[in-house]
Amino acid sequence: MPLSPIQIASMWREVLILSNVQAGEKVLVLTSSHSNPALIEGAMRAAAELNTKVARLDLLPTWHVAEGRSDATTIDGISAIEGHDLAISAMKAADMVIDLLWLIHSPAQKEVLKSGTRMLLAYEPPEVLARVMPSLEDRRRVLAARNAYAHGKRIRITSDAGTDLTADIGDFPANAEYGFAEQPGRWDHWPSGFVARVTNLGTARGKVVLAPGDIILPFNTYVQSDIHLAIEDGAITHIEGGFDAEYLRAYMKDFNDPNAYTVSHLGWGLQPKARWTAIGMNDKSSTFGMEARAFYGNFLFSTGPVAGRPSPCHLDIPMRNCSFFVDNEPMVMKGEVIPADQKVSRPS
Ligand SMILES: [Fe+2]
């Protein structure tokens, strides 16, 4: 059953309060023709109820020739605000931007965040937002994991399916997403719940074996047969297997971009409210897979853009039953998260 407008506004109110929205603050709601009207109305109503100075800015959508369907997540790094001084000025003038448009990873978005504006992206259908309402406990859990990930020098990921991947870390920060943006300059995404870190360029090596049940985003499908990825010098060199491998190989090749094969951010899911099964239950075009990215204990493997090496081809691939080690310290064992206060050292 769909949620009522009152329920959606109530959810927004809770998330805006978590985001430390105060009376008198300037809140800007960014929308476009593909934004969900129920989310627009709920966000505007909640912001007004909190006595903020709320305004809506409606922008034209962007489109890229490589988009396979009308999924804003398919292409990375372009957005409706690039070079749009009017929009950028308004966003910088706001205390908080609610992004119902999808601006993730775009250069103009980073410029806005640097000015101190905080931003919260919400794009999933209301039913998914309701299932994965963020909480202070989510923040505690995710920040504890982020802190454990922040000090390492080397990571290793293994699985019984055959994954054995290593990489050096330290050149890029460990990032935490927990579903609300309460600090100046912070960006977050509702719903979420994971840690992610770009590994040192050129250092990822080994193999990644995608097994049945792993999810490839933005395909929004479960892998049905093993896909073997060979990785050298920080990038995928071979993709082998059956039809699933052939499809993935062809999809990436169509971008005609060598940067598409770079190993990007690696991390693990920390959100018990998110469901691994959600991709199978939702209309494929209605979701872009945040529950898949966040479900508890997944190894979130990704490819494509990293700092200084942009690529429009970005894949997020949540994998099950993997173990994730930071400096030989287990963070996840065979898909089970080891909470930060229960870790045991493992000999190398
Ligand atoms: Fe990603």
Side-chain angles (χ1 to χ4, degrees):
M1 296 291 286
L3 290 151
S4 73
I6 292 172
Q7 287 171 307
I8 295 170
S10 172
M11 286 156 45
W12 271 112
R13 185 184 171 94
E14 190 175 330
V15 172
L16 293 183
I17 290 171
L18 282 170
S19 296
N20 199 27
V21 169
Q22 303 288 328
E25 280 198 314
K26 292 165 279 185
V27 175
L28 185 67
V29 182
L30 277 189
T31 65
S32 190
S33 53
H34 58 285
S35 301
N36 185 328
L39 294 186
I40 298 171
E41 187 193 335
M44 297 288 291
R45 186 192 290 195
E49 285 174 0
L50 292 171
N51 295 314
T52 66
K53 292 179 170 52
V54 61
R56 172 180 169 184
L57 180 61
D58 196 64
L59 298 171
L60 295 173
T62 52
W63 185 81
H64 188 285
V65 67
E67 286 187 43
R69 57 193 167 93
S70 56
D71 179 344
T73 72
T74 308
I75 302 297
D76 191 89
I78 66 166
S79 81
I81 62 168
E82 299 310 309
H84 196 318
D85 292 345
L86 177 63
I88 293 170
S89 299
M91 293 168 71
K92 285 181 175 174
D95 296 297
M96 176 154 189
V97 169
I98 295 173
D99 176 11
L100 305 181
L101 169 64
W102 187 268
L103 301 176
I104 189 168
H105 299 152
S106 70
Q109 180 201 31
K110 288 175 188 159
E111 182 188 334
V112 170
L113 291 170
K114 265 191 196 157
S115 77
T117 301
R118 57 197 195 276
M119 294 185 66
L120 183 66
L121 168 64
Y123 200 81
E124 291 281 14
E127 294 74 20
V128 173
L129 299 179
R131 177 157 55 235
V132 196
M133 283 293 289
S135 68
L136 293 173
E137 171 57 21
D138 289 340
R139 181 175 65 178
R140 187 205 62 76
R141 184 188 323 110
V142 174
L143 288 181
R146 193 275 309 272
N147 292 343
Y149 198 2
H151 302 295
K153 289 192 164 42
R154 186 174 163 87
I155 59 172
R156 183 180 182 196
I157 300 97
T158 61
S159 77
D160 289 346
T163 294
D164 194 345
L165 177 70
T166 60
D168 296 341
I169 52 176
D171 290 349
F172 301 97
N175 292 313
E177 287 189 24
Y178 45 79
F180 54 94
E182 79 287 22
Q183 302 283 344
R186 176 170 176 78
W187 176 91
D188 211 311
H189 191 169
W190 168 31
S192 198
F194 59 78
V195 290
R197 189 173 197 180
V198 174
T199 57
N200 297 357
L201 299 183
T203 66
R205 61 179 55 87
K207 56 189 173 180
V208 169
V209 180
L210 308 183
D214 294 342
I215 297 167
I216 299 181
L217 305 167
F219 301 171
N220 287 8
T221 54
Y222 296 95
V223 169
Q224 304 289 320
S225 58
D226 285 1
I227 304 174
H228 293 255
L229 307 176
I231 295 168
E232 295 172 18
D233 300 328
I236 296 171
T237 56
H238 294 88
I239 302 173
E240 304 292 343
F243 170 77
D244 283 325
E246 183 184 350
Y247 191 90
L248 178 62
R249 199 163 50 230
Y251 177 83
M252 297 180 83
K253 184 167 179 272
D254 282 345
F255 282 82
N256 194 27
D257 175 15
N259 288 350
Y261 300 92
T262 305
V263 173
S264 186
H265 58 82
L266 306 181
W268 62 97
L270 289 154
Q271 181 52 272
K273 290 169 276 193
R275 294 181 175 183
W276 166 66
T277 55
I279 286 287
M281 297 299 292
N282 289 321
D283 175 354
K284 199 170 158 176
S285 63
S286 76
T287 179
F288 62 105
M290 281 311 291
E291 285 191 86
R293 287 176 179 87
F295 74 82
Y296 206 61
N298 86 74
F299 162 45
L300 185 54
F301 175 71
S302 81
T303 59
V306 294
R309 287 191 203 169
S311 174
C313 178
H314 178 48
L315 298 174
D316 282 329
I317 304 179
M319 298 170 59
R320 297 187 303 160
N321 306 316
C322 292
S323 300
F324 197 117
F325 302 91
V326 177
D327 290 349
N328 299 313
E329 191 82 19
M331 305 289 136
V332 182
M333 287 294 283
K334 297 192 175 185
E336 297 291 329
V337 175
I338 300 177
D341 56 355
Q342 294 176 25
K343 289 199 176 70
V344 286
S345 293
R346 199 183 97 135
S348 52

